Amino acid sequence: MPRPFSRRRNPLTVHHLNQLLLVCSVVLLVAVAAVRVSSRSGLPSLLVYLAIGVLMGQDGIGHIAFNSAATTQVMGYAALVVILAEGGLGTKWKEIRPVLSSASVLATVGVAISVGVTAAGAHYLVGLEWRQALIIGAVVSSTDAAAVFSVLRRIPLPACVTGTLEAESGFNDAPVVILVVAFSTAGPVEHWYVLLGEIALELAIGAALGIAVGCIGSWGLRHVALPASGLYPIAVMAIAVTAYAAGALAHGSGFLAVYLASMVLGNARLPHWPATRGFAEGLGWIAQIGMFVVLGLLVTPHELGDDVWPALVIGLVLTMVARPLSVVGSLAPFRVPWREQALMSWAGLRGAVPIILATIPMVNGVAGSRRIFNIVFVLVVVYTLVQGPTLPWLARTLRLGEQGEASDLGIESAPLERLRGHLLSVSVPEGSRMHGVEVSELRLPPGAAVTLVVREGESFVPMPTTVLQHDDELLVVATDPVRDAAERRLRAVAHGGKLAGWLGTGRGGDGR
């Protein structure tokens, strides 16, 4: 006779589940609120999420003991796949195409230069043995996709600079992972030409599979009608993850595969694209928050004291010597202006990716791997505090902040699927040349109109003669065919004023 259902253990399990859900929901709400704080202060949200993880850790108020580097590495890889997918979906081919060659060289040759210079500094200035120095050099030579995407898209930079940095962050994870794994493997490090051959082969396999999966997936989504619109975002992310899995299983670069597949999907004009884009952004935020919190849990703050000075020295070598040399050496053949090179030298943002890669030697049992992790953690935190908030100032100092599209104009889009249109929420920031422009002078394309203006907390329906001001919030309704043209026109006016398109300051949606 079967035993009756036990009621003694089940309530305890459910109780623990309820506690876990409560903690996760509170952490998520705090992290979401932190996005607003970080965006207003100019600090990358990375630091806020890391701080939440540290506070929850064994040295913080949560007293959670977490020390599994293997689990952190797996979760980090999974999060990085989602972040790269979201970044690829938001990358515009027209912006990245002119800088594809320079970004590729910067992500390969530039990485090699950075690894060599940083490793030499770690060996001769800090006293690390060569294997540890090479591991640190490789780990910190990867710019972080999450940090780059979240910071650069809020700064009005020339499209060529933003495109180069975003493409570099999407491309350079692949060669860096190969180098870190090679340096962390037991036994002698392979000859440099063997590593170069492996890197080239894995990049080629990953690129081929990523483009193939992206093309096949985009063709299928355009020709196969799914029964519900909510399935399209899930299908797009599933295709992106498939690209990563295919690349990794074929012994290629899964990270490059997922980025390229997502970029193909993002430029394919898929059905229900606004909903898909919003879904991907939400997953990207969840991946960032979870990844950074776990990394904060893994670190033990009371062990960092002895590694602060080595981290500062290595970070100084990386930021002031290795990164500028890698940029100059990689971009010299492309005749990039020196001001853009200077900005790209300072904009090599590090984030969670180097910290995740620092778990590889820990998992492989490399001697001194815990110290490597601590040095990388301190380096990332300190230099993110320095680089992120100073990027807008440097861009203004170099007179690069007012070129190209006016990316400082905040535009958010919400689909109106039944009406076959879009609702654009437009913020007019300080310094925008949309200030003083009448609504009629926007010259939006037929099918787009400003329907509401919010000013100092008061909302009103504008007249054609209504003059726009700084800090205004506009609601613009646009039909599907003219949505992109309307956004281009708004950005052109924000940069060039009412005469944008006539004076060569940008092309309006009316084709002028």
Side-chain angles (χ1 to χ4, degrees):
M1 181 177 178
R3 296 181 58 188
F5 178 72
S6 174
R7 299 179 57 88
R8 184 173 59 184
R9 290 187 177 182
N10 192 54
L12 183 61
T13 303
V14 173
H15 179 66
H16 284 170
L17 176 61
N18 293 338
Q19 287 183 326
L20 178 62
L21 291 176
L22 177 61
V23 171
C24 291
S25 60
V26 170
V27 170
L28 189 58
L29 288 173
V30 172
V32 170
V35 175
R36 185 67 174 174
V37 176
S38 63
S39 62
R40 285 184 175 272
S41 63
L43 294 176
S45 53
L46 152 71
L47 299 179
V48 182
Y49 305 147
L50 282 176
I52 293 174
V54 171
L55 288 174
M56 293 173 58
Q58 57 185 346
D59 283 0
I61 59 177
H63 302 292
I64 298 176
F66 178 80
N67 56 6
S68 176
T71 302
T72 303
Q73 181 181 332
V74 172
M75 295 179 64
Y77 274 34
L80 185 56
V81 169
V82 176
I83 292 170
L84 286 172
E86 189 272 328
L89 291 173
T91 300
K92 298 179 180 179
W93 174 245
K94 66 178 181 179
E95 294 181 358
I96 201 176
R97 179 173 53 189
V99 298
L100 191 59
S101 299
S102 58
S104 300
V105 174
L106 188 58
T108 51
V109 177
V111 164
I113 295 173
S114 180
V115 170
V117 174
T118 306
H123 176 71
Y124 291 110
L125 298 180
V126 179
L128 298 179
E129 63 176 32
W130 272 114
R131 180 182 292 273
Q132 297 175 348
L134 286 170
I135 291 174
I136 287 183
V139 164
V140 299
S141 293
S142 173
T143 56
D144 183 75
V148 170
F149 295 149
S150 63
V151 173
L152 290 185
R153 290 178 182 176
R154 293 186 287 105
I155 301 176
L157 295 177
C160 57
V161 175
T162 303
T164 301
L165 291 171
E166 290 190 3
E168 178 203 8
S169 67
F171 294 159
N172 64 11
D173 290 333
V176 166
V177 169
I178 298 171
L179 289 176
V180 175
V181 171
F183 295 150
S184 302
T185 303
V189 178
E190 297 185 59
H191 297 293
W192 63 270
Y193 52 84
V194 176
L195 287 178
L196 289 181
E198 289 184 358
I199 291 174
L201 179 61
E202 293 197 18
L203 291 179
I205 294 174
L209 287 175
I211 294 174
V213 172
C215 291
I216 295 172
S218 60
W219 182 89
L221 289 175
R222 287 197 305 268
H223 291 83
V224 178
L226 297 178
S229 60
L231 293 176
Y232 283 90
I234 299 175
V236 168
M237 294 305 297
I239 293 170
V241 175
T242 299
Y244 170 81
L249 291 175
H251 301 287
S253 171
F255 294 123
L256 182 59
V258 68
Y259 183 73
L260 291 179
S262 302
M263 190 165 63
V264 172
L265 292 168
N267 290 272
R269 295 189 176 274
L270 300 177
H272 304 286
W273 178 245
T276 300
R277 187 76 184 95
F279 179 79
E281 289 179 353
L283 282 184
W285 277 112
I286 292 176
Q288 288 187 55
I289 292 170
M291 178 175 60
F292 296 151
V293 170
V294 170
L295 290 173
L297 285 173
L298 185 63
V299 73
T300 307
H302 72 264
E303 296 179 355
L304 300 178
D306 296 335
D307 299 316
V308 172
W309 177 247
L312 294 178
V313 173
I314 296 174
L316 191 63
V317 172
L318 171 67
T319 305
M320 305 305 295
V321 183
R323 175 66 181 180
L325 285 178
S326 67
V327 170
V328 173
S330 302
L331 301 183
F334 301 97
R335 298 182 179 180
V336 177
W338 71 267
R339 291 186 299 173
E340 295 181 5
Q341 292 189 38
L343 185 64
M344 284 189 275
S345 298
W346 189 248
L349 301 176
R350 273 74 193 175
V353 172
I355 305 176
I356 293 171
L357 296 181
T359 63
I360 295 177
M362 296 176 66
V363 174
N364 292 347
V366 175
S369 59
R370 187 71 196 191
R371 188 186 186 198
I372 293 175
F373 179 86
N374 291 340
I375 290 175
V376 171
F377 185 89
V378 175
L379 186 155
V380 167
V381 171
V382 171
Y383 286 92
T384 299
L385 273 171
V386 174
Q387 288 178 280
T390 57
L391 266 179
W393 171 84
L394 182 61
R396 291 192 299 269
T397 302
L398 295 173
R399 297 180 181 177
L400 291 174
E402 296 181 356
Q403 298 181 14
E405 281 191 348
S407 57
D408 58 329
L409 184 69
I411 299 180
E412 296 183 2
S413 174
L416 303 172
E417 294 189 8
R418 291 187 178 181
L419 302 179
R420 298 184 181 274
H422 295 268
L423 184 64
L424 305 181
S425 175
V426 183
S427 301
V428 183
E430 291 291 334
S432 173
R433 297 191 66 180
M434 192 177 287
H435 175 79
V437 175
E438 294 184 3
V439 170
S440 62
E441 293 172 332
L442 292 175
R443 293 189 290 118
L444 295 176
V450 180
T451 59
L452 195 70
V453 174
V454 180
R455 178 178 299 164
E456 297 180 351
E458 300 287 337
S459 58
F460 60 92
V461 177
M463 302 291 291
T465 55
T466 299
V467 178
L468 302 178
Q469 300 179 8
H470 293 145
D471 298 325
D472 279 353
E473 297 279 344
L474 316 181
L475 289 183
V476 180
V477 176
T479 59
D480 278 342
V482 303
R483 187 266 186 197
D484 291 339
E487 183 172 342
R488 286 196 301 269
R489 179 60 194 166
L490 289 168
R491 293 191 184 279
V493 175
H495 171 66
K498 66 181 70 176
L499 299 182
W502 287 342
L503 299 181
T505 43
R507 184 168 177 160
D510 53 4
R512 291 174 182 159

